[in-house]
């Protein structure tokens, strides 16, 4: 029996995070400083930065 491959059955979902203070969208950014990669979540409206999107609450 030939079926669909495992990769074709998975769906890709993206979650949009919203800043509770201003209502702007939170985007993830990667910074390279001191020889290391650092991931930051930043609001597009108020420019507030946190370590991850859950920290905005």
């Amino acid at each position: 029996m030939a079926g669909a491959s495992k990769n074709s059955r998975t769906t890709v979902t993206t979650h949009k995070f919203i800043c509770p203070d201003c209502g702007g969208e939170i985007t993830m950014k990667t910074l390279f400083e001191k020889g290391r990669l650092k991931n930051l979540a930043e609001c597009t409206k108020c420019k507030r930065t946190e370590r991850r999107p859950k920290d905005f609450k």
Side-chain angles (χ1 to χ4, degrees), residues 32-43:
F32 186 77
E33 59 181 37
K34 298 181 184 176
R36 296 179 183 219
L37 287 174
K38 187 175 182 184
N39 293 321
L40 285 178
E42 183 180 35
C43 176

